[in-house]
Amino acid sequence: MDIQHTATPEAGKDYPRNWNEFLDWFATEEACRGYLEKLRWPQGFVCPSCGVAGEPYRSSRSRLMCRSCSHQSTVSAGTIFDKTRTPLRVWLAAAWYLTNQKHGVSALGLQRVLGLGGYETAWTMLHRLRRAMVRPDRERLKGVVEVDETYLAISDRDAPIAEGQRKRRKHRTQQVLVVIAVELLQPRGFGRIRLRRIDNDSAEQVVPFVQDNVAPAAEVRTDGSAAYRELKSLGYAHQRTVMLGSDVPAHVSMAGVHRVAALIKRWILGTHHGSVQPVHLDAYLDEFVFRFNRRTSASRGMLFYRLLQQAVITDPVTYDDVVRPLPKSAKAS
Ligand SMILES: [Zn+2]
């Protein structure tokens, strides 16, 4: 399993073709570390402390010591696998399962299929993997982009708590506002999407979302909402469709946004049984975007490869970060 860092990774070379090959490649912790090492340092080890490249000393099975500054590290230090007590084999199996199921997997489903001891372990692993689903340097949407808000009905059953407690809790269903951006392709079809949970539909919430996710000079199509009024002065070609008094229903004029909203609702109800805590919604939206934007990918193994490629360059996530994340709308401002 020699990982080539070509533009297009190959099945059977860069990622396993199927579950049998997966078991074959990742039979030991050492094999998993080797695979992650090649993903993290495609050109060979680079010291995370001093930046000097060169084959490290290997004092123990997992420890890598820089020949230049003697800094000791491991392949998982500084990544989403940092300080994990879960074997890498289990992590890779989770990543495989998550990417090979067309609609992903719930924490309960993952706990069952991997035979994990606790629901909390499965829940935390999925949330850490979701952090790796957003590429920090990803390109903003271009061309013609539809932007609109929609409400999602979600209930708060999903939380890392013991089974016994779960039964006693009361579930609340809430309407959570999400802003959606969809690239419209010519002559038809949808390109990539971006999503964000927002507190309200004011300009303070929706304009930063557009700026973070849509390239300037794109044509942004919105409804008549005044919240988007300043887009023109920010360099966007802004097309407002005023619905008032129009005979055209919203789902016709905003076909992309309405289609994506329907798919998200179905996904949250189907895979996650409607139970997503509002505070964690952004993480689920990240996963939805990761899947949607790779929906034409020829192989699911490719998604596994891309997820792990990002996992080894994504900063560690503490348990507290996972349980109490900051909303993106707050981070952006
Ligand atoms: Zn060093």
Side-chain angles (χ1 to χ4, degrees):
M1 64 171 188
D2 208 23
I3 300 170
Q4 287 185 341
H5 285 270
T6 49
T8 316
E10 265 182 72
K13 257 185 185 170
D14 300 303
Y15 54 85
R17 262 180 289 241
N18 51 49
W19 180 242
N20 271 340
E21 203 160 75
F22 179 99
L23 293 175
D24 202 32
W25 283 24
F26 304 120
T28 64
E29 284 296 286
E30 200 176 353
C32 297
R33 281 195 299 268
Y35 184 78
L36 293 180
E37 256 191 58
K38 284 180 185 167
L39 281 178
R40 186 171 179 186
W41 298 296
Q43 265 77 46
F45 178 78
V46 178
C47 173
S49 178
C50 73
V52 169
E55 184 54 24
Y57 291 114
R58 291 168 191 272
S59 50
S60 73
R61 275 193 177 179
S62 59
R63 204 156 293 282
L64 308 168
M65 190 171 94
C66 172
R67 283 176 196 263
S68 177
C69 75
S70 299
H71 174 77
Q72 296 198 17
S73 61
T74 63
V75 69
S76 49
T79 76
I80 65 157
F81 310 116
D82 205 5
K83 298 189 175 73
T84 176
R85 278 170 300 175
T86 306
L88 288 176
R89 275 185 309 120
V90 177
W91 273 106
L92 296 198
W96 180 266
Y97 198 74
L98 179 61
T99 48
N100 270 263
Q101 302 297 306
K102 188 163 183 235
H103 299 292
V105 61
S106 67
L108 199 58
L110 188 73
Q111 182 194 355
R112 283 182 184 146
V113 75
L114 295 182
L116 299 172
Y119 174 83
E120 186 180 314
T121 306
W123 187 91
T124 312
M125 283 175 90
L126 286 175
H127 269 288
R128 287 195 185 194
L129 288 168
R130 285 183 188 115
R131 290 297 175 99
M133 289 184 174
V134 182
R135 231 174 0 117
D137 60 344
R138 61 187 181 175
E139 259 187 71
R140 288 183 283 181
L141 307 185
K142 309 182 283 209
V144 180
V145 181
E146 255 181 30
V147 180
D148 202 2
E149 314 94 43
T150 189
Y151 280 97
L152 296 179
I154 58 179
S155 78
D156 64 355
R157 276 174 295 174
D158 179 59
I161 43 175
E163 283 291 333
Q165 284 174 289
R166 268 147 64 76
K167 286 190 187 110
R168 283 199 300 274
R169 281 186 51 188
K170 288 223 171 87
H171 310 315
R172 289 177 310 148
T173 297
Q174 295 190 41
Q175 297 286 337
V176 181
L177 194 59
V178 170
V179 57
I180 300 177
V182 186
E183 279 177 342
L184 301 186
L185 303 181
Q186 296 303 326
R188 53 181 296 134
F190 308 128
R192 296 168 301 156
I193 61 166
R194 296 280 189 265
L195 309 168
R196 180 183 289 171
R197 176 188 163 215
I198 50 175
D199 298 332
N200 55 62
D201 59 2
S202 67
E204 289 70 35
Q205 298 273 309
V206 298
V207 172
F209 167 77
V210 173
Q211 289 184 287
D212 289 346
N213 293 289
V214 183
E219 179 186 319
V220 179
R221 294 187 183 169
T222 69
D223 61 13
S225 161
Y228 297 97
R229 203 172 273 160
E230 55 180 304
L231 289 182
K232 212 155 225 166
S233 65
L234 293 167
Y236 296 96
H238 184 202
Q239 293 285 336
R240 281 171 80 196
T241 309
V242 181
M243 302 303 300
L244 219 69
S246 160
D247 289 336
V248 185
H251 67 270
V252 175
S253 68
M254 286 287 187
V257 165
H258 285 274
R259 174 83 186 124
V260 170
L263 289 172
I264 300 169
K265 286 171 190 173
R266 196 186 302 167
W267 181 65
I268 287 180
L269 275 177
T271 301
H272 302 289
H273 313 291
S275 58
V276 167
Q277 283 189 306
V279 69
H280 295 122
L281 183 64
D282 274 320
Y284 290 88
L285 297 180
D286 287 344
E287 177 179 348
F288 187 88
V289 170
F290 178 85
R291 284 179 195 289
F292 188 92
N293 290 351
R294 287 164 186 78
R295 67 198 180 283
T296 56
S297 191
S299 114
R300 309 223 61 96
M302 179 78 99
L303 269 69
F304 168 79
Y305 180 85
R306 292 294 181 213
L307 177 56
L308 289 180
Q309 207 177 26
Q310 287 171 212
V312 293
I313 57 162
T314 301
D315 288 342
V317 189
T318 66
Y319 181 73
D320 277 357
D321 279 345
V322 169
V323 178
R324 280 177 288 278
L326 277 173
K328 283 196 183 170
S329 50
K331 272 185 251 175
S333 51

